[in-house]
DNA sequence: GCATGATTTCAGTATTGCCTGAATGTACTG
DNA sequence: CAGTACATTCAGGCAATACTGAAATCATGC
């Protein structure tokens, strides 16, 4: 189903938001459209047509979404075409995966041990403490988040 | 004080890390060097010399750091040259400012109310719930973080 | 004020990364 | 097995951005 005006405006808003943080326009538009399109499952051809993007762009950016875990492929039995949709719980999954980045930050801080400055070494150690703090806090936070989620949809 | 090999390696590591997330190379190198340079306060000319960057680049990217709140200017009386340093508690400040982005995400979700899809509307509402959850959890988390910080350096 | 050196601005250049469109590859249907 | 529709790959164009170097501006100590 092609976009109406309100939908187009929303896709644009989502796209504008995410491009502010450096993502590609097409990537962000696909995300915005996958949030509100009907049905939720779309083929690459439909996405290309509705968003006026080339098939190549859709293929590339969609793969990026899949690799990030935001989007998944759905196989429909007896239908030759692959469909893609926003992964259920995608937003939560993104938050959960933050833990990895936190750990990477901790690594980065520890790698600075050999070059710790005499003058205000906390410029480096603070970062390590911060990463440790979040590494400890994140798992229980994620559990509370999941509990919240269950409450909404049992 | 110019860089030795170990320092150079660390600056490179920090720069590589942050460029992975889309920041400019020069921006990231300045950050890495400001984490470990001695003294912690540096002039633009020193940064340009040590990092082999042009004066223009240093000026531009340093401004970006200042605007983001990572770096601050220090005025030294009787010295005409401005100095720059990593802001004390810069890492914590960045985390605290996450709250704004969380709120913006909530806005984005609410803006989707008018185009909520019949089919799996949770694609949008989930994002709103997530933002609400974090908006609630973030302030107390930040308080615990600050408490942790105080413990380290009273 | 004036001189000096630091900082900013800006035009030009290089680089990067997105996007397209066509060619190629793949999988299902009849 | 042929035909069809979908998906992927990739070379090339294009736009955006980073960086440089030089000129202009600004601030401070004298």
């Amino acid at each position: 189903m092609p976009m109406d005006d309100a939908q187009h405006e929303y896709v644009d808003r989502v796209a504008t938001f995410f491009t502010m943080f450096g993502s590609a326009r097409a990537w962000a538009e696909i995300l915005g459209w996958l949030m509100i399109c009907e049905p939720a499952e779309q083929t690459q051809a439909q996405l290309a047509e509705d968003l006026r993007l080339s098939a190549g762009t859709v293929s590339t950016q969609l793969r990026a979404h899949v690799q990030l875990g935001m989007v998944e492929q759905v196989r429909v039995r007896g239908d030759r075409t692959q469909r893609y949709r926003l992964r259920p719980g995608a937003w939560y999954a993104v938050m959960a995966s933050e833990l990895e980045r936190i750990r990477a930050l901790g690594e980065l801080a520890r790698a600075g041990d050999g070059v710790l400055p005499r003058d205000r070494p906390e410029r480096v150690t603070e970062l390590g403490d911060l990463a440790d703090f979040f590494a400890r806090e994140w798992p229980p936070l994620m559990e509370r988040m999941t509990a919240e989620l269950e409450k909404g949809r049992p």
Side-chain angles (χ1 to χ4, degrees), chain A residues 8-108:
Chain A
H8 188 278
E9 193 184 323
Y10 189 65
V11 169
D12 188 60
R13 174 153 186 176
V14 172
T16 301
F17 182 85
F18 284 99
T19 46
M20 277 201 328
F21 298 110
S23 37
R25 180 85 198 173
W27 184 94
E29 287 188 356
I30 289 172
L31 175 59
W33 183 224
L34 283 180
M35 285 171 69
I36 59 171
C37 61
E38 298 193 84
E41 293 80 17
Q42 298 275 309
T43 67
Q44 290 201 16
Q46 287 174 321
L47 291 171
E49 153 124 20
D50 293 339
L51 294 168
R52 314 271 153 87
L53 294 170
S54 76
T57 299
V58 171
S59 176
T60 304
Q61 299 303 331
L62 210 43
R63 190 203 337 277
H65 277 299
V66 170
Q67 282 175 348
L68 283 173
M70 285 293 295
V71 168
E72 64 186 2
Q73 300 176 352
V74 211
R75 310 191 130 280
V76 180
R77 264 181 67 88
D79 188 353
R80 117 172 98 229
T81 80
Q82 195 84 248
R83 287 169 199 268
Y84 296 83
R85 69 170 179 206
L86 207 63
R87 206 166 158 199
W91 301 112
Y92 300 95
V94 168
M95 284 300 131
S97 75
E98 275 299 306
L99 187 54
E100 289 171 39
R101 257 155 292 171
I102 291 166
R103 291 222 175 93
L105 262 185
E107 292 287 319
L108 191 66

Side-chain angles (χ1 to χ4, degrees), chain A residues 85-135:
Chain A
R85 69 170 179 206
L86 207 63
R87 206 166 158 199
W91 301 112
Y92 300 95
V94 168
M95 284 300 131
S97 75
E98 275 299 306
L99 187 54
E100 289 171 39
R101 257 155 292 171
I102 291 166
R103 291 222 175 93
L105 262 185
E107 292 287 319
L108 191 66
R110 268 187 293 283
D113 282 348
V115 290
L116 268 194
R118 228 169 278 240
D119 181 23
R120 298 190 51 229
E122 66 270 22
R123 282 176 280 161
V124 179
T125 59
E126 235 176 41
L127 179 62
D129 295 343
L130 185 73
D132 290 346
F133 171 78
F134 273 93

